[in-house]
Amino acid sequence: MSALRRKFGDDYQVVTTSSSGSGLQPQGPGQGPQQQLVPKKKRQRFVDKNGRCNVQHGNLGSETSRYLSDLFTTLVDLKWRWNLFIFILTYTVAWLFMASMWWVIAYTRGDLNKAHVGNYTPCVANVYNFPSAFLFFIETEATIGYGYRYITDKCPEGIILFLFQSILGSIVDAFLIGCMFIKMSQPKKRAETLMFSEHAVISMRDGKLTLMFRVGNLRNSHMVSAQIRCKLLKSRQTPEGEFLPLDQLELDVGFSTGADQLFLVSPLTICHVIDAKSPFYDLSQRSMQTEQFEIVVILEGIVETTAHNDENDDLPLISL
């Protein structure tokens, strides 16, 4: 069996079958039960290894309006492709709208037809059509200032529109650039250099049955005030008959002794002692292999280089 496991890996489990009533070929003399390799059925996870929660909200009502009421956070949480699309779309629409306003002023004043009259003073000099109005807006908004197109003092509505353009441009720049800056400075990718052990193990340590896994920091920069917590997600039924599908229990990984405060200069082994207070105290080895539960490990800390709070959720599997 160990040879089969080494050959095919841990993604398969060995199943012993017999030939009676199964339609298999009869076994020869001295042959034992046949063994087949059956792919393991991957159980659905509540939290993926990358920390993404597999939760979908439903039947909330007015969910879209709730997200729009917190528009800034919604934009920061969007994927990069949607952020770039909204960034380009917002600027394009704002530019076309303001260029249209300058073109409307020139059209209503008759500047488009009188632009080449020698003694006529237009609202904006050298604006003959929509492309020239668009170029004037871009030169003004981007503070390029070529000097060929400029606003005159004979156009009060143009002065008011110029003030409105300056205020609107400042608001759009602050909102979109601030959103992009916060999204770029998020320390989500910092979690890529925080390594968790692929499996957790249960063995004796210091004379006590202990659940253990390891965590390490690949970068030379430290994580300030690093703290680790463990949550056990398991369904249970209360004595009153209420079913709790995702009951969260705290696993003690050294909260009382301060061992949950980490100094990640080298890989550390995180331990949870299985005593009378542990949720695993009443579970045997066989029941633990068949029990449906998940352990979520939460590592929080401040990135030394950016002073941003970092959080990495990983979910080690128990392998016994």
Side-chain angles (χ1 to χ4, degrees), residues 71 74-75 78-92 175-176:
L71 184 60
T74 302
L75 290 177
L78 287 177
K79 295 182 180 294
W80 267 110
R81 56 178 176 267
W82 292 110
N83 273 105
L84 294 176
F85 174 75
I86 294 174
F87 186 87
I88 297 173
L89 180 64
T90 303
Y91 272 110
T92 303
F175 189 82
L176 292 180

Side-chain angles (χ1 to χ4, degrees), residues 73 97 109 111 120 124 156 161 172 209 223 231 266 275 317:
T73 306
F97 172 75
R109 288 173 52 91
D111 295 348
Y120 178 75
V124 179
L161 181 60
V172 172
L209 200 60
M223 288 190 63
K231 292 286 186 179
S266 62
D275 53 11
L317 287 177

Side-chain angles (χ1 to χ4, degrees), residues 3 53 107 138 148 184 198 230 233 238 302:
C53 296
Y107 178 80
I138 294 297
Y148 183 68
M184 286 188 295
E198 186 67 22
C230 291
L233 304 180
T238 64
I302 299 176

Side-chain angles (χ1 to χ4, degrees), residues 46 233-237 242-248 292-293:
F46 178 70
L233 304 180
K234 180 183 177 182
S235 60
R236 71 179 182 92
Q237 190 170 5
E242 181 184 2
F243 180 73
L244 303 177
L246 290 174
D247 188 32
Q248 298 185 13
Q292 296 290 332
F293 65 88

Side-chain angles (χ1 to χ4, degrees), residues 271-284:
C271 300
H272 166 69
V273 179
I274 303 178
D275 53 11
K277 299 179 180 179
S278 174
F280 302 124
Y281 186 73
D282 297 327
L283 297 179
S284 63

